[in-house]
Amino acid sequence: MTTPIMLSVAGSDPSGGAGIQADLKTATALGVYGAAVLTSLTAQNTHGVTGIHPVPADFVADQLTAVLEDLAVGAIKIGMLATPEIAAAVADVLRTRPRPAIVLDPVMVATSGDRLVTPEVTEVIKEALLPLCTVITPNLPETAALLGNLAPHSPDEMEAAAVALRDLGCAALIKGGHLQPESPEPVDGKPSVRRPDQDAMSVDVLADDSGITHYSAPRIDTTNTHGTGCTLSSAIASGLARGADLRTAVGAAKDYLTGALRAGAQLGIGSGNGPVDHLWRNR
Ligand SMILES: Nc1ncnc2c1ncn2[C@@H]1O[C@H](COP(=O)(O)OP(=O)(O)OP(=O)(O)O)[C@@H](O)[C@H]1O
Ligand SMILES: Cc1ncc(CO)c(N)n1
């Protein structure tokens, strides 16, 4: 038997809901062996980030080389890269060897609003890392930073932005978690009835070589959204490590995350924006 392996290159969240911890839980829940290269220690919890301690860039490269020289990694997920030096070191290692599928989550700001990486990282991601990857998974503000544009604020604008990102060198999945539910259009000069919240959807838009795909799931009414981006990207990488194609891996990852968000509403970890329930299928 060949065991599928997902390698996460990301930061540590000691409260366990995001970063490396979320990635390893996700891989395990999806039946994939998880390996991890640490790029930064953070001090954070469900309320916010109080400290960041980046790993020296050459030691990030040492960890990555050690794992890739030994393990048959099926897919890599890249998350928090705190400094441009760390981002460049990761790109340098990946450029010089055979690469598996790579999912790049261009982490910039935590759910709490705290910055996790310096602004200069964005340029290194665009220039050096993105062309080496299979898919990039920005949220709306990250999309704006990468394209030097305003954030998309409708599925149509997400499509245009996904195509623009794809033209930079890899498929792009733009996450709509930050999209406000549509405001009612006036009908005959009178505002229409507002859609009830339970009808709202959370939409992500993929642009790949074959075109555009929308992934839509019911919007869960919860404040427990800490680590959703990490969980989605590592679930996609886990699917790719198992041999799924990109569209299938994204669909399965979205289903897994939606279930984890729904179950996470009851999880009760921490007193701020809590994590999703990575183990929801095992309960
Ligand atoms: N309330 C919700 N209900 C359903 N799906 C959601 C909800 N919030 C976010 N999502 C989904 O979660 C995934 C992550 O989206 P989001 O745009 O929040 O990413 P992010 O900002 O990178 O996440 P993070 O909070 O980890 O930084 C997407 O698939 C998005 O559609
Ligand atoms: C370590 C880490 N990576 C990513 C995120 C984004 O959710 C976070 N909060 N912490």
Side-chain angles (χ1 to χ4, degrees):
M1 167 180 117
T2 312
T3 304
I5 301 175
M6 192 278 294
L7 168 63
S8 168
V9 178
S12 161
D13 167 11
S15 69
I20 288 280
Q21 288 81 353
D23 297 344
L24 293 180
K25 289 174 196 181
T26 299
T28 306
L30 296 175
V32 171
Y33 180 90
V37 164
L38 275 167
T39 58
S40 278
L41 303 182
T42 71
Q44 66 172 300
N45 57 26
T46 61
H47 292 278
V49 181
T50 53
I52 297 179
H53 196 60
V55 173
D58 55 356
F59 196 70
V60 173
D62 289 349
Q63 294 176 71
L64 186 53
T65 303
V67 176
L68 292 176
E69 278 182 350
D70 186 25
L71 276 60
V73 172
I76 299 176
K77 170 253 160 90
I78 301 175
M80 175 183 176
L81 302 167
T83 66
E85 291 77 17
I86 294 174
V90 169
D92 286 346
V93 172
L94 294 175
R95 193 181 305 110
T96 53
R97 48 185 318 126
R99 284 183 295 282
I102 304 177
V103 181
L104 173 58
D105 183 8
V107 169
M108 295 178 192
V109 174
T111 313
S112 54
D114 299 297
R115 269 209 91 86
L116 288 164
V117 318
T118 64
E120 297 75 31
V121 168
T122 305
E123 213 44 43
V124 183
I125 284 182
K126 244 172 101 168
E127 299 297 323
L129 215 39
L130 186 148
L132 306 175
C133 293
T134 308
V135 62
I136 185 166
T137 64
N139 64 21
L140 300 181
E142 289 158 359
T143 301
L146 285 161
L147 292 174
N149 251 329
L150 293 177
H153 64 276
S154 68
D156 283 351
E157 291 182 9
M158 288 165 73
E159 280 192 16
V163 169
L165 279 178
R166 185 192 58 193
D167 290 346
L168 295 178
C170 76
L173 177 72
I174 301 195
K175 300 173 293 190
H178 297 245
L179 203 64
Q180 298 305 317
E182 279 168 31
S183 37
E185 294 293 330
V187 178
D188 296 334
K190 294 179 207 142
S192 62
V193 179
R194 192 178 176 79
R195 273 192 312 175
D197 273 354
Q198 59 266 31
D199 287 350
M201 302 300 279
S202 184
V203 182
D204 304 336
V205 176
L206 175 73
D208 63 10
D209 286 344
S210 321
I212 300 282
T213 314
H214 284 223
Y215 296 88
S216 208
R219 179 168 285 278
I220 313 298
D221 187 17
T222 175
T223 53
N224 289 349
T225 56
H226 180 77
T228 49
C230 305
T231 302
L232 183 74
S233 55
S234 55
I236 297 170
S238 297
L240 294 173
R242 298 184 77 115
D245 62 57
L246 180 60
R247 288 179 173 199
T248 307
V250 172
K254 178 90 174 160
D255 290 347
Y256 170 70
L257 174 63
T258 305
L261 268 160
R262 194 175 277 123
Q266 315 299 327
L267 198 60
I269 305 289
S271 53
N273 292 115
V276 302
D277 185 358
H278 294 99
L279 286 182
W280 67 278
R281 281 187 181 146
N282 308 70
R283 296 198 193 282

